[in-house]
Amino acid sequence: MPSIMPNSSNSSKNKYLKLFYQYFVNHIITLTILTIMICFLIELLRLGPIEILNIFNSLKFDQIQILCSCFLIIFISTIYFMLKPNTIYLVDYACFKPPITCRVPFATFMEHSRLILKNNPKSVEFQMRILERSGLGEETCLPPAIHYIPPNPTMEEARREAELVIFSSMDSLFTKTGLKPKDIDILIVNCSLFSPTPSLSAMVINKYKLRSNIKSFNLSGMGCSAGLISIDLARDLLQVYPNSNAVVVSTEIITPNYYQGKERAMLLPNCLFRMGGAAILLSNKKAEHKRAKYRLIQVVRTHKGGDDKAYRCVYEEEDREGKVGISLQKDLMAIAGEALKSNITTIGPLVLPASEQLLFLLTLIGKKIFNPKWKPYIPDFKQAFEHFCIHAGGRAVIDELQKNLQLSSEHVEASRMTLHRFGNTSSSSLWYELNYIESKGRMKRGDRVWQIAFGSGFKCNSAVWKCNRSIDTPVDGPWEDCIDRYPVHIPEIVKL
Amino acid sequence: MSENKVTLESKLTVVSSRPVKSGKTHKLSGVDHAMGYHTLHLIFYYKNEEKWFGSFELDPLRESLSEVLSIYPTVTGRLAREKEEDGGDWEVRCNDAGVRVIKANVDCTIDEWLSSSAFGFDETQLIAWDDMPHDTSTWSPFRIQILQIYHFNSTIPLDNSVVFTHHRIRTNQINKQFQEGGLAIGLSCSHMLSDLTFASSFLKSWSQTHRHYPISHPPFFNPITPNNINNVPNSSSKPQTIITSSTNNIVTATFKFPSSIIKQCLSKIQNTTCSNATPFDFLSALFWTRVTHLKPSKVHNQNHSLSICRDFRKLVKPSLPIGYFGNALHFSNLSIKVQDMENGQLEDMANLIHKHLKEVTEEEIRSSIESFETRKESTPKCMYGSELTCVYMEEEESASLLYESMFSNSEKPAHVSCRIGNVDSEGLIMVMPSSEGGFARTVIVMLQEEELGKLCNDQEILKLEPTIILAGCLVQH
């Protein structure tokens, strides 16, 4: 027993009380069954073996009754196994590692900004202030077309970037999983802002000569949370098609969307969005359960688009000079908070342990009946999950969520470090964060991961995964060469 | 006037592959400050027969440039002035901003460019330089030019889809229409940051990185002089930073002398006056006399003088490595009476130059370095061309520096040329190694247009059968 200091005896008493309560409530079913079995056993022992034999002989079992009971049991189990949803396995995933020639240090970014916006020093000043507080590092990457003065955002360059990112990730995925292109049954590509014809999914099918009966989908315009929407779609499809492989490609193509004007609200994405992409292999094949990394437990999607303010908060439009950009409203954080609350309300009952749910219910009842001034109980999500992947949309988003969910800095470390090393890579950032956790050797069998993404609309989507097998370091991926340098301390303001 | 064969395609910034630790600065020495009036431009021509050059987007050449820039943080930095309290001198802030790269297309084949002495193949067109602005924080002091030498084959029917939009030519369509003719890689910089030796060592390092060889001349950033020389705060006014290009009509011509001829002339000198004469002695003597002929004649008892510029890396103890970042140049003056030059033979002149070069002492060099240090705050003045200047490059070393910058294992540069910006009217002669090797030399002369025209037709020079290329003036044989 550790020695307890007198002045902290109260808090440690509380701690033990809390632990006892949690254990009791979470395992109540087990405890109940255990109690019943013990009572039964005691009763049996009390009766003695001869008495038991007598009772057994008095029960007249008809042959038919026995047969029917057996059939009933078999029938019920068959129905159960048929109606059970297919387990969705995440076999493996690959994140895109940008080439070193695409790196954009702060000094280069600011220099280009000054040269291109030489008539708008206020806008340059604004970009500098954003960059200083952004939480990005010196190794984030922009596509080759943006390194030109002025940038060269042609469609050809955009396609080139798409080919570079998507094909690179797919090749990496094929190597890691041994998947053959002909074995892909479902292909879902999501890229919000670049949607050419033929689609990016057609581009993938063309490059890898995929089967002609492939089920392919291309999701565009759905923002940074589109990655989880694709996972949700893949899950639904894998319920319908047995024994199939689904490949999900999440990316955001920066080239055509680099804002070339001077409106401040629209310059913000230029400072934060960076090149990135990920390819994920999902499967419902039973054989994959040995080598799959994760199992999909839940996907919860919340859409606040019904509220006008939420709808307009991330809006793509033309500025006064006709240049297209994405403008972010000032109430973005508040709306994100609201969307998160909505999502939590739905996901809470599905993932929280019984102890937390009971407490939440009791405080809710108490508030309604006894005293409205009672503080609402914020369930402790750390009980439900070991790891958190919060979309690295920006420093403010991560800070907001850390506060709302009462997470420690270790929980949000993956998100912060991904923002520092790769910037905001939009829908693929969740995968870079997951890879960070794996690369640090923290992912053990049975660990549960919560991925939360926000996106225009305004949407808040989350996915829950359970780790299927412990993942050993070193992990092949984008963090391979730099994981030892992390975590780094990111100052509030980087002096430029 | 020549038609414009060079079209500027695009401008971009290339950064190093590894971030530079923030806060590093490199103070420039007194010699560096003194060279601030000039700019330096090196151009390396390659035939690109093995097609090692792609599009410079994500290809190995671009990657190797990023790699090599990681060990040259001063090349990717920006010029700034120190704070007033520390002296207000120039320094390079290693802020990891990257180096500017200009891509352009040249419409002719490399063989044409390097063999013709016809008007229109003026190298100035290949150099995209803009002068140092008042605000140097966004100005890249080093610029690399990638010049794709294409030849537009007019016999191939033009595809309607080829569109020339404001000098930006769509590369993928071009590759079908044009027949490739080679590549020129240019490196330009302010002379305040680098001399010829450093610039060539940088390019050699790049070529070695590209071929995955270890670098033979890594950069060396320590100052020449210890920093405890007291800078007497000068009461002179703040020097102007904007250097306007000189309005002199200075043009360049390149004379390539074959090895056999030089060997012959050299043996003649070695048998008569100077037994250790080098090709430099002979050629500098030759050009000095011929250029002096073209100038307005002087009265007897006056002197003809020649300023010789040489690299002192090996002449000081401890010697500076080739990769020393900055200027390690020593200017010395050689005078000869007018009548001595008129009456003397070429052999005597060569001997004179040879003796002059041998006699330079370390004390002389140290004292000139110190005098430059004390003059740091004054406005840099013209170092090349206020009198006829001759640049001496150490023989074997420079040949290996320049002509071993190979990007593919078997292709040496077809030609390396060097120009200095803002040379004054008296002119500049540079004796450089040649692609042929051995005793062959390339002499680059920068003079006023009419004088250079006359020089190109000078019988004494033409006797030695030079090939005159890249002439900015009319050459008639």
Side-chain angles (χ1 to χ4, degrees):
Chain A
M1 279 288 272
S3 60
I4 303 166
M5 307 233 310
N7 56 2
S8 66
S9 61
N10 256 347
S11 62
S12 59
K13 267 198 211 141
N14 278 343
K15 197 173 82 170
Y16 284 122
L17 194 65
K18 197 156 187 216
L19 277 172
F20 175 72
Y21 161 74
Q22 282 171 349
Y23 193 77
F24 179 71
V25 176
N26 290 339
H27 297 93
I28 194 148
I29 296 177
T30 330
L31 290 171
T32 322
I33 293 180
L34 215 61
T35 327
I36 294 175
M37 279 183 65
I38 291 171
C39 291
F40 192 59
L41 208 63
I42 294 173
E43 197 48 45
L44 272 177
L45 291 170
R46 201 167 58 82
L47 288 176
I50 305 162
E51 282 276 347
I52 297 170
L53 226 55
N54 281 341
I55 296 173
F56 195 67
N57 284 335
S58 68
L59 292 172
K60 284 194 179 64
F61 280 129
D62 220 342
Q63 287 242 345
I64 296 179
Q65 276 179 327
I66 299 174
L67 215 59
C68 282
S69 327
C70 286
F71 275 138
L72 195 65
I73 294 171
I74 293 172
F75 185 63
I76 291 176
S77 356
T78 319
I79 303 251
Y80 169 72
F81 279 111
M82 277 182 65
L83 291 178
K84 187 169 88 92
N86 289 337
T87 321
I88 310 293
Y89 294 107
L90 192 162
V91 179
D92 208 341
Y93 62 96
C95 295
F96 172 65
K97 175 104 189 273
I100 49 169
T101 53
C102 294
R103 188 173 79 90
V104 177
F106 284 1
T108 317
F109 184 87
M110 284 319 303
E111 192 172 281
H112 280 220
S113 178
R114 278 202 193 99
L115 290 171
I116 295 165
L117 293 172
K118 49 180 172 288
N119 298 326
N120 303 93
K122 283 219 166 73
S123 303
V124 176
E125 220 8 77
F126 175 76
Q127 281 200 306
M128 188 158 88
R129 275 186 279 124
I130 296 291
L131 206 58
E132 285 174 345
R133 292 163 178 74
S134 61
L136 262 67
E138 298 273 6
E139 291 178 271
T140 61
C141 296
L142 281 174
I146 309 296
H147 291 256
Y148 285 87
I149 302 171
N152 185 23
T154 57
M155 190 165 200
E156 193 193 316
E157 288 288 341
R159 277 218 168 94
R160 234 182 259 165
E161 182 193 342
E163 287 173 7
L164 173 68
V165 175
I166 296 177
F167 295 165
S168 207
S169 319
M170 298 264 325
D171 289 338
S172 193
L173 184 67
F174 288 146
T175 324
K176 276 184 164 185
T177 56
L179 178 70
K180 299 219 173 21
K182 295 276 182 244
D183 293 335
I184 302 178
D185 304 293
I186 300 163
L187 174 69
I188 305 172
V189 177
N190 76 271
C191 171
S192 185
L193 294 164
F194 179 54
S195 183
T197 299
S199 64
L200 293 176
S201 59
M203 186 177 85
V204 172
I205 293 173
N206 169 260
K207 163 83 175 175
Y208 294 103
K209 312 288 179 243
L210 304 182
R211 289 194 333 249
S212 55
N213 64 348
I214 193 170
K215 305 269 177 304
S216 72
F217 298 85
N218 193 83
L219 300 176
S220 77
M222 300 190 92
C224 300
S225 58
L228 294 182
I229 297 178
S230 308
I231 300 284
D232 187 42
L233 180 62
R235 179 189 64 166
D236 290 343
L237 287 166
L238 286 172
Q239 301 299 348
V240 175
Y241 300 105
N243 231 23
S244 307
N245 280 326
V247 171
V248 171
V249 179
S250 289
T251 183
E252 190 53 71
I253 303 299
I254 313 273
T255 306
N257 308 302
Y258 204 71
Y259 177 59
Q260 312 250 41
K262 56 181 165 66
E263 288 299 315
R264 285 184 230 179
M266 298 187 183
L267 281 171
L268 192 71
N270 280 7
C271 300
L272 300 176
F273 277 83
R274 296 289 182 263
M275 207 160 74
I280 303 111
L281 174 60
L282 298 170
S283 178
N284 58 8
K285 296 186 179 175
K286 297 280 184 292
E288 298 288 11
H289 91 272
K290 281 222 178 61
R291 69 168 180 154
K293 275 186 173 172
Y294 301 93
R295 269 186 291 133
L296 181 60
I297 308 291
Q298 285 290 351
V299 177
V300 172
R301 293 167 56 176
T302 323
H303 206 304
K304 300 301 268 176
D307 172 41
D308 285 340
K309 280 217 323 256
Y311 172 67
R312 272 209 141 259
C313 113
V314 178
Y315 205 77
E316 185 183 17
E317 57 190 349
E318 287 176 354
D319 66 7
R320 270 173 287 197
E321 294 169 349
K323 300 208 169 100
V324 177
I326 301 162
S327 78
L328 304 172
Q329 301 301 326
K330 294 204 172 56
D331 54 1
L332 181 62
M333 281 298 106
I335 291 174
E338 280 302 312
L340 178 72
K341 277 208 188 69
S342 194
N343 194 289
I344 288 177
T345 317
T346 319
I347 206 174
L350 299 170
V351 294
L352 286 169
S355 53
E356 293 295 317
Q357 298 205 38
L358 193 62
L359 271 175
F360 182 71
L361 192 65
L362 290 175
T363 17
L364 199 67
I365 293 173
K367 245 181 82 120
K368 287 258 155 47
I369 297 177
F370 298 121
N371 185 357
K373 286 215 199 74
W374 273 13
K375 261 183 28 203
Y377 178 70
I378 299 174
D380 187 6
F381 279 89
K382 300 195 281 291
Q383 295 287 328
F385 303 107
E386 276 72 39
H387 307 289
F388 295 79
C389 291
I390 301 166
H391 164 56
R395 201 183 201 155
V397 172
I398 303 175
D399 290 340
E400 180 75 16
L401 257 77
Q402 186 179 9
K403 198 179 68 173
N404 280 349
L405 298 172
Q406 294 168 346
L407 299 175
S408 72
S409 52
E410 200 184 287
H411 286 125
V412 294
E413 185 184 306
S415 311
R416 287 201 199 281
M417 296 306 126
T418 300
L419 183 64
H420 183 266
R421 173 63 179 86
F422 295 100
N424 177 354
T425 58
S426 185
S427 40
S428 49
S429 66
L430 297 170
W431 303 105
Y432 286 99
E433 295 173 22
L434 193 60
N435 201 271
Y436 177 86
I437 299 171
E438 291 179 9
S439 302
K440 278 288 184 194
R442 296 177 189 161
M443 193 59 78
K444 303 269 174 281
R445 187 194 154 103
D447 282 356
R448 290 154 299 173
V449 185
W450 188 19
Q451 290 184 323
I452 312 170
F454 295 97
S456 61
F458 197 80
K459 302 189 271 288
C460 176
N461 297 332
S462 51
V464 179
W465 304 87
K466 189 160 188 166
C467 182
N468 196 43
R469 59 175 174 87
S470 281
I471 295 165
D472 300 318
T473 52
V475 169
D476 209 9
W479 291 98
E480 223 178 337
D481 59 350
C482 57
I483 192 70
D484 298 318
R485 285 189 271 130
Y486 283 89
V488 290
H489 168 67
I490 305 173
E492 267 303 313
I493 302 178
V494 175
K495 206 59 207 97
L496 283 184
Chain B
M1 261 328 254
S2 65
E3 57 202 75
N4 202 354
K5 290 189 178 344
V6 180
T7 31
L8 240 51
E9 194 190 293
S10 48
K11 181 160 69 156
L12 64 142
T13 308
V14 174
V15 300
S16 59
S17 57
R18 287 187 293 281
V20 173
K21 270 208 173 66
S22 68
K24 288 215 304 236
T25 54
H26 174 93
K27 289 200 200 328
L28 295 178
S29 69
V31 188
D32 293 331
H33 280 73
M35 300 303 294
Y37 190 78
H38 296 284
T39 57
L40 177 67
H41 310 274
L42 264 181
I43 304 180
F44 286 69
Y45 294 89
Y46 295 91
K47 290 220 162 92
N48 193 23
E49 270 149 14
E50 295 186 4
K51 304 282 183 262
W52 49 265
F53 178 76
S55 64
F56 206 64
E57 279 291 358
L58 293 167
D59 53 348
L61 189 65
R62 174 99 176 247
E63 274 184 30
S64 55
L65 180 59
S66 287
E67 263 312 312
V68 83
L69 285 174
S70 306
I71 57 169
Y72 286 88
T74 44
V75 175
T76 53
R78 293 291 177 264
L79 278 174
R81 280 219 183 255
E82 279 178 342
K83 295 200 269 286
E84 278 294 339
E85 313 87 71
D86 300 326
D89 298 325
W90 285 109
E91 61 178 9
V92 179
R93 297 221 176 109
C94 303
N95 64 353
D96 202 12
V99 94
R100 209 71 79 218
V101 174
I102 316 281
K103 280 165 62 166
N105 294 311
V106 181
D107 179 24
C108 70
T109 62
I110 195 174
D111 292 315
E112 267 178 21
W113 191 271
L114 290 179
S115 61
S116 176
S117 56
F119 205 46
F121 291 84
D122 189 0
E123 268 184 331
T124 32
Q125 294 174 45
L126 296 183
I127 297 165
W129 178 255
D130 59 1
D131 292 321
M132 183 158 81
H134 200 69
D135 174 18
T136 52
S137 63
T138 55
W139 181 73
S140 174
F142 281 86
R143 303 179 135 221
I144 295 177
Q145 288 110 252
I146 305 277
L147 305 146
Q148 290 179 271
I149 306 181
Y150 289 121
H151 179 59
F152 184 56
N153 195 335
S154 52
T155 57
I156 300 175
L158 195 58
D159 187 341
N160 282 335
S161 59
V162 173
V163 175
F164 289 68
T165 45
H166 187 56
H167 294 309
R168 198 164 286 174
I169 303 170
R170 307 254 176 83
T171 347
N172 65 344
Q173 287 155 331
I174 290 308
N175 284 334
K176 295 192 211 122
Q177 313 285 8
F178 290 98
Q179 140 201 333
E180 285 183 42
L183 168 74
I185 298 181
L187 176 64
S188 302
C189 62
S190 160
H191 216 306
M192 195 159 45
L193 287 124
S194 138
D195 57 9
L196 189 52
T197 316
F198 175 76
S200 4
S201 77
F202 172 73
L203 219 102
K204 184 162 182 191
S205 302
W206 179 10
S207 68
Q208 287 174 319
T209 310
H210 185 74
R211 286 184 298 147
H212 306 291
Y213 278 35
I215 291 179
S216 24
H217 306 294
F220 181 78
F221 297 111
N222 295 354
I224 324 171
T225 51
N227 283 333
N228 50 18
I229 287 186
N230 286 328
N231 275 328
V232 180
N234 221 328
S235 56
S236 61
S237 57
K238 201 75 190 292
Q240 295 301 312
T241 53
I242 300 170
I243 310 276
T244 50
S245 36
S246 64
T247 47
N248 293 326
N249 190 11
I250 300 281
V251 291
T252 327
T254 305
F255 297 79
K256 289 176 72 164
F257 292 96
S259 182
S260 46
I261 309 262
I262 300 289
K263 195 159 169 198
Q264 246 178 352
C265 301
L266 213 54
S267 53
K268 213 164 84 171
I269 299 179
Q270 284 169 352
N271 290 335
T272 52
T273 49
C274 174
S275 53
N276 293 333
T278 60
F280 172 78
D281 302 325
F282 167 63
L283 286 167
S284 52
L286 173 68
F287 276 86
W288 187 12
T289 40
R290 299 324 303 163
V291 170
T292 318
H293 252 282
L294 302 168
K295 304 263 180 201
S297 44
K298 285 189 175 164
V299 180
H300 269 238
N301 291 330
Q302 278 194 329
N303 284 339
H304 288 305
S305 53
L306 180 70
S307 166
I308 300 186
C309 164
R310 65 190 300 197
D311 184 325
F312 64 67
R313 280 172 172 81
K314 294 267 155 61
L315 301 174
V316 289
K317 289 194 181 43
S319 66
L320 292 171
I322 299 229
Y324 166 74
F325 175 73
N327 289 283
L329 297 175
H330 176 68
F331 289 84
S332 56
N333 251 315
L334 179 58
S335 279
I336 184 173
K337 288 211 174 42
V338 169
Q339 60 261 43
D340 289 338
M341 186 186 273
E342 278 178 20
N343 302 332
Q345 296 280 23
L346 203 55
E347 294 84 40
D348 303 310
M349 301 281 294
N351 190 24
L352 189 67
I353 292 176
H354 186 87
K355 282 223 299 271
H356 175 87
L357 286 177
K358 273 201 100 75
E359 283 162 9
V360 79
T361 58
E362 194 181 337
E363 284 85 57
E364 266 177 61
I365 297 178
R366 287 270 171 214
S367 75
S368 88
I369 295 175
E370 275 178 35
S371 79
F372 281 132
E373 277 297 327
T374 52
R375 284 176 11 216
K376 250 196 209 178
E377 279 107 49
S378 49
T379 320
K381 58 185 216 307
C382 181
M383 305 294 290
Y384 293 108
S386 45
E387 355 177 71
L388 181 63
T389 315
C390 191
V391 171
Y392 171 52
M393 279 195 89
E394 205 78 44
E395 321 275 59
E396 305 90 40
E397 219 163 60
S398 58
S400 103
L401 258 188
L402 296 177
Y403 285 92
E404 281 175 19
S405 292
M406 306 194 284
F407 285 90
S408 82
N409 283 328
S410 56
E411 189 190 322
K412 288 197 171 178
H415 179 69
V416 177
S417 97
C418 173
R419 308 179 84 245
I420 307 272
N422 295 335
V423 169
D424 213 352
S425 49
E426 287 300 313
L428 174 68
I429 302 167
M430 303 180 70
V431 180
M432 314 244 303
S434 193
S435 55
E436 200 190 317
F439 287 102
R441 291 291 180 270
T442 305
V443 179
I444 299 176
V445 183
M446 298 183 73
L447 276 182
Q448 301 216 339
E449 196 174 343
E450 327 91 56
E451 286 176 2
L452 192 61
K454 287 187 208 150
L455 191 71
C456 292
N457 297 316
D458 185 294
Q459 284 311 310
E460 288 294 319
I461 294 180
L462 293 179
K463 242 177 19 189
L464 303 171
E465 297 165 37
T467 327
I468 305 180
I469 61 171
L470 303 169
C473 59
L474 229 40
V475 175
Q476 296 148 337
H477 291 291

